Amino acid sequence: MNVPAFRDFDAERFLIEHWQKRPLLIRNPWRSWRNPLPPEELAGLACEGEVESRLVHETASGELDLEHGPLSPERFGELGRYPWTLLVQAVDHHVSAVAALLDAFRFIPNWRVDDVMVSYAVDGGGVGAHFDRYDVFLVQGLGRRRWRIGPQCDEATPLQPYDDLRLLAEFEPTAEWVLEPGDILYVPPGFAHEGVAVGDDCMTYSVGFRAPSRGELLSGWIDHALDTLTDDDRYTDPDLSMQDNPGEISSAALDRVYEMMTRSLSDRPAFARWFGEYATAPKTDRLDWAPEGAVSMQDVRSAMESGATIMRNPASRFAFVCHEAGSVTLFVDGVAEECAGAAADFAQRLCAEPTMVPGPDMARCPSVVNLIHELVHRGGVAFSEDD
């Protein structure tokens, strides 16, 4: 399923006025809308062991109960008359029609994309009032859902005493809308919100964007820097001079230690490479597209000469960093590839287009063939079986 672009949507204005600032209701911006995933297929994914899923259902006392998947097919027939919601994570990794939804949101950099979570709810189903620490576009796929938006929250906001659900203890909505199929609600980080299904067969596609914390970034970068150091890299002070008081840690010593500590952390080229690897590191449930048999360079070249289409693995993450003289570092699933010339042009195009036809001309470029061969071998891309 090819999802058309938005109509009459000013992405630049959205970024200036709403992105990470305030919520926005976008009434059906699609040129045409069709729900990309039937409810029964979503339920089938929730029964698979390699797919992360959750079931939130209301008990007779009005409390919410959480179950983690995989679920048995019989479980859905046991839920009874109380409202319930099924949530399945990273559905874009498993269903190409859901992955296609991301194309409409490419005005946000690729490295910020997390995944597309899909929920199905019966009448009255929801997960309670809560807030997230990331940006999300809530696309109504099927049925109707009432969304209520509240004020911004933070770590000091009181929560209900649930172990597995981070529900707000108090929720005072400031706006309310009922979304129809194709409607989109954008919610920035921290804003309280609550969605409740209005009628049965309510499906919502949550296009989420990652927002790593300062602590996560520091921890990862410092761990990486530590891996590059040796035990012989030690403090030295060959210009040591006499001090009036041996108990003083002198300014000169502090400066030397500070420079020693920060030198490896202030290497920007090394940081850029680390961050590219960090930002494209695959999720644990990444689909394995690695070929079962050996694929030769000639196999790749022949496929390119025949006009075959290359597809990116929907569970893979692609990004690049530009350098002087036109070269780039391509990052795919946490692995860096240095690219120059035609390979650099190809790498940038590959990051922008989920599918592409390299063509016979590129088949005559060894650096491009080598790059595609490596990505096929690692399961980041594959040639379309239809070609």
Side-chain angles (χ1 to χ4, degrees):
M1 171 184 173
N2 293 319
V3 177
F6 292 154
R7 68 173 194 275
D8 300 328
F9 177 75
D10 190 334
E12 185 173 358
R13 182 177 179 182
F14 167 82
L15 293 175
I16 293 172
E17 297 183 357
H18 292 275
W19 177 252
Q20 297 212 323
K21 302 174 186 70
R22 56 195 176 105
L24 177 66
L25 174 65
I26 309 168
R27 289 294 184 189
N28 199 340
W30 313 90
R31 297 189 184 279
S32 62
W33 173 258
R34 181 164 59 91
N35 182 50
L37 181 66
E40 56 272 17
E41 289 190 21
L42 183 68
L45 285 173
C47 298
E48 297 182 10
E50 68 275 14
V51 179
E52 181 184 348
S53 62
R54 293 165 289 163
L55 180 66
V56 178
H57 58 91
E58 192 173 312
T59 65
S61 62
E63 300 292 316
L64 290 178
D65 188 56
L66 173 66
E67 296 178 32
H68 291 277
L71 305 172
S72 67
E74 297 77 19
R75 183 69 185 100
F76 298 102
E78 301 168 351
L79 291 171
R81 61 186 178 87
Y82 298 106
W84 57 270
T85 299
L86 172 67
L87 305 106
V88 182
Q89 209 73 37
V91 177
D92 54 309
H93 294 184
H94 305 276
V95 181
S96 60
V98 174
L101 287 176
L102 290 169
D103 292 345
F105 300 95
R106 294 300 180 190
F107 52 89
I108 310 297
N110 288 351
W111 73 266
R112 289 280 264 115
V113 175
D114 190 7
D115 64 14
V116 182
M117 182 186 75
V118 184
S119 66
Y120 173 89
V122 298
D123 187 30
V127 298
H130 63 285
F131 71 96
D132 301 310
R133 293 187 172 91
Y134 51 82
D135 302 87
V136 63
F137 291 89
L138 301 162
V139 183
Q140 191 62 26
L142 193 67
R144 305 165 72 219
R145 186 182 289 273
R146 175 176 289 105
W147 285 103
R148 298 194 298 166
I149 302 294
Q152 279 192 288
C153 305
D154 55 32
E155 293 185 355
T157 301
L159 301 177
Q160 295 186 40
Y162 284 97
D163 291 333
D164 297 319
L165 295 171
R166 301 185 73 257
L167 303 183
L168 299 174
E170 299 177 357
F171 178 57
E172 293 292 335
T174 57
E176 179 179 316
W177 303 282
V178 174
L179 270 62
E180 306 280 349
D183 292 344
I184 303 173
L185 178 62
Y186 165 69
V187 183
F191 276 84
H193 55 286
E194 178 189 47
V196 178
V198 180
D200 291 329
D201 289 335
C202 173
M203 291 187 70
T204 301
Y205 298 80
S206 301
V207 182
F209 292 84
R210 293 186 297 165
S213 69
R214 190 192 303 266
E216 289 176 294
L217 293 173
L218 278 173
S219 176
W221 175 224
I222 290 172
D223 285 346
H224 171 80
L226 287 173
D227 289 339
T228 67
L229 303 179
T230 67
D231 198 46
D232 291 332
D233 188 5
R234 292 178 175 269
Y235 176 83
T236 60
D237 50 2
D239 56 350
L240 182 65
S241 60
M242 293 291 294
Q243 296 183 184
D244 293 337
N245 188 332
E248 179 188 6
I249 301 176
S250 68
S251 294
L254 285 173
D255 289 344
R256 190 185 297 273
V257 172
Y258 182 80
E259 191 277 334
M260 179 183 179
M261 295 289 290
T262 58
R263 186 191 317 142
S264 59
L265 298 180
S266 60
D267 184 340
R268 196 179 188 285
F271 176 80
R273 186 180 182 90
W274 167 81
F275 184 72
E277 295 171 348
Y278 170 90
T280 60
K283 301 187 76 167
T284 55
D285 61 350
R286 179 184 178 276
L287 296 179
D288 186 5
W289 272 25
E292 295 182 1
V295 176
S296 68
M297 297 282 285
Q298 185 55 46
D299 292 333
V300 171
R301 190 175 292 107
S302 297
M304 296 170 67
E305 290 172 343
S306 68
T309 298
I310 282 184
M311 304 178 299
R312 290 197 325 229
N313 184 336
S316 292
R317 288 170 169 159
F318 287 71
F320 67 91
V321 170
C322 289
H323 307 295
E324 295 180 1
S327 66
V328 304
T329 303
L330 172 67
F331 301 96
V332 180
D333 293 328
V335 178
E337 298 282 351
E338 300 299 334
C339 305
D345 295 338
F346 172 80
Q348 294 177 72
R349 184 181 168 194
L350 184 62
C351 287
E353 303 173 20
T355 63
M356 63 179 292
V357 179
D361 290 344
M362 287 190 181
R364 292 188 285 273
C365 181
S367 62
V368 174
V369 176
N370 288 339
L371 177 59
I372 295 175
H373 180 262
E374 177 65 21
L375 296 179
V376 168
H377 176 73
R378 296 210 313 263
V381 302
F383 285 101
S384 171
E385 296 181 356
D386 296 331
D387 295 311

